[in-house]
Amino acid sequence: MSADPPGPAHQPAGTPGSLPVPAWEVDDLPEPQGEPFGPGGWAVGNLGYAVDGLVAGVTGLLVAEALDLGLTFVGWVSGNASGRSPLLAVGAAFVDLTPAWLKEWAVSSFGTGDKAVLFAGMAIVLALLFAAIGMVARTRHTVAAALVGGLGVLALIALLTRAGASPTDPIPLVVGLATTVWMLRRMVARTAVDGPSRREALGLAAAAAGVALAESARGSGGVAAANAGASRAAAAPVPTGLPAPTSAGAEVGVPGVAPWVVPNDSFYRIDTALVVPRLATESWRLRVYGEVEREVTLTWAQLLAKPLIQRHATLACVSNEVGGHLVGNALWTGWPVRELLREAGPKAGADMVLSRSVDGWTAGTPLEALTDDRDALLAVAMNGEALPFEHGFPVRLVVPGLYGYVSATKWVTELKITRFAVDMGYWTPRGWSALGPVKTASRIDVPRSGAQVSAGRVAVAGVAWAMHRGIQGVQVRVDDGPWADARLATEPTIDSWRQWVYEWDATPGSHVLTVRARDGAGEWQTSVQTRSDPDGATGHHSVTVRVG
Ligand SMILES: Nc1nc2c(c(=O)[nH]1)N[C@H]1C(S)=C(S)[C@@H](COP(=O)(O)O)O[C@H]1N2
Ligand SMILES: [Mo]
């Protein structure tokens, strides 16, 4: 992938009959003169200045982003994909400041598209701010420059509080801010004389396109991606001859039910990473420290030399709503984290492992869940291939029975042995519970809500899950009728979800189908409806179907 720096997008070609150089490159600035609002009155007059603000702001951003990409390109060593981008830093800070209710709303409204919505929102807010600053600059350049500086300080705070921030990180930001202030002064002076110009609109379009280009170059990761891509291709983390766990009979064979093993490319994805970290196996290290007898550092080669095992396990997100799809089952290959913790020797009194990702995200997991016989894994493969970058390459945690936010750290680089009384995972101070055992849940996959089916035999089918407790029974109710037992597929492991099917004798009319599950301990799923924060939604899933 090429990471060519975007071209000189802020220099639109001169149009015939106009100045051959852009307004902001004119050396002698004419003094503002004439009518305060120019011809056309307030609206038209201010429009020109708003466009000035936009062009200056977006060009400054372009300069900062391009410089950041360039520095990332030249200085690539550690595999940190976040770079020094002011835009990303501000976006990440916004994500970090997200409280539980807003996260819940964003995930439930936009699902995995929540990041695109965040960026669109940032673009709109920035555009309005830049336009307003341009209008201020018409009469008060110093105030406008101070406003730009104020935005810069916010971005600076965001940049320097990122995980792994270094003191040189603000360089692109400072250069970008200086560009904005300088351009604003020149453009506003020019607009005061000439009024709004078409050239500026062109400049804006070009600068905006430049930012988009820079960001897409970043998204695909440039050089870093090439390195990590090669590293992933060479990872070959699944030794041949590993005993593969059986999954015989795990499917009820009804079309439309989620496959028992969800393919990697359709597996749900949830994380706070605005840019997917792309680490290379060569530089990956896992450091175990804190309340331990001895610190241990594990390399990729050492990890692959361990006796790896394969386990099916279902991951679920605490933000998953009743009937939602933020849940999936996969075959994981890895080394039980229990063995690594044994090498380090947790001290008496330690009760939590704070796992940290390369981007600074953390999860607080009960030490017990990582050391008991449930085979919590340091996973290196998902469904027989190296972990996809989005799912944590090269190494992530998979802990059966716990929601992802307290256990499933992707791109994991540190395990700190500590105590719940001392440390907190990322989401806990944001309104989510410190402990996150998965709640018993069930979902109807077919028929879909709103579907039209013909009267007679209808297969009602779906999945149910209560990871590490297992599913003992599933029942379906039609309208307000009695609960009837569904037929269960086999349960190859209590750590995975279980498929079920109920043969329904459908009669004409509109009907509500409801499902409930009983876990391995014999507890029925509660019908009480709760929201997902602070520790997972509850309530029965229902669909309404028309039989005709
Ligand atoms: N580094 C990192 N790991 C993370 C997260 C994150 O934001 N950053 N999110 C967690 C959450 S909330 C969930 S539900 C699972 C989702 O894993 P998946 O994206 O592979 O499905 O990852 C967990 N691991
Ligand atoms: Mo999650």
Side-chain angles (χ1 to χ4, degrees), residues 103 268 270 316-319 403-405 427:
K103 184 218 178 197
Y268 84 95
I270 290 287
C317 184
V318 68
S319 297
Y403 286 122
Y405 82 106
W427 282 111

Side-chain angles (χ1 to χ4, degrees), residues 43-210:
V44 171
N46 270 301
L47 181 71
Y49 296 102
V51 172
D52 289 345
L54 271 173
V55 177
V58 174
T59 306
L61 264 181
L62 174 65
V63 167
E65 296 296 302
L67 202 56
D68 167 45
L69 271 181
L71 290 177
T72 307
F73 185 95
V74 174
W76 184 264
V77 260
S78 68
N80 185 346
S82 314
R84 294 144 292 256
S85 154
L87 263 186
L88 285 178
V90 170
F94 190 80
V95 170
D96 288 354
L97 293 173
T98 305
W101 62 268
L102 186 55
K103 184 218 178 197
E104 211 217 345
W105 175 80
V107 169
S108 64
S109 312
F110 309 112
T112 305
D114 56 350
K115 293 181 185 75
V117 173
L118 170 69
F119 280 122
M122 269 175 64
I124 291 168
V125 169
L126 276 177
L128 291 175
L129 284 173
F130 286 146
I133 288 174
M135 280 152 66
V136 170
R138 180 175 68 81
T139 49
R140 294 170 196 277
H141 186 77
T142 318
V143 175
L147 289 174
V148 173
L151 281 181
V153 167
L154 292 182
L156 194 70
I157 293 171
L159 264 179
L160 290 177
T161 52
R162 294 310 296 155
S166 97
T168 55
D169 286 357
I171 292 172
L173 172 66
V174 170
V175 175
L177 289 170
T179 307
T180 295
V181 171
W182 178 75
M183 276 186 59
L184 194 60
R185 182 179 191 88
R186 299 191 151 238
M187 295 181 67
V188 163
R190 169 58 58 171
T191 299
V193 175
D194 290 353
S197 102
R198 195 158 61 102
R199 227 177 316 115
E200 293 180 356
L202 284 176
L204 175 62

Side-chain angles (χ1 to χ4, degrees), residues 215-300:
E215 287 314 307
S216 70
R218 179 197 308 288
S220 51
V223 183
N227 287 346
S231 173
R232 181 170 181 269
V238 191
T240 47
L242 275 187
T246 174
S247 57
E251 305 222 329
V252 290
V254 177
V257 175
W260 192 69
V261 167
V262 178
N264 291 353
D265 56 7
S266 48
F267 206 92
Y268 84 95
R269 174 189 164 202
I270 290 287
D271 53 62
T272 59
L274 295 177
V275 172
V276 174
R278 289 175 181 250
L279 308 187
T281 52
E282 297 76 26
S283 53
W284 177 84
R285 298 283 182 282
L286 179 61
R287 173 171 172 243
V288 188
Y289 69 106
E291 298 189 32
V292 290
E293 296 300 335
R294 61 207 80 79
E295 286 198 11
V296 179
T297 300
L298 191 69
T299 66
W300 173 254

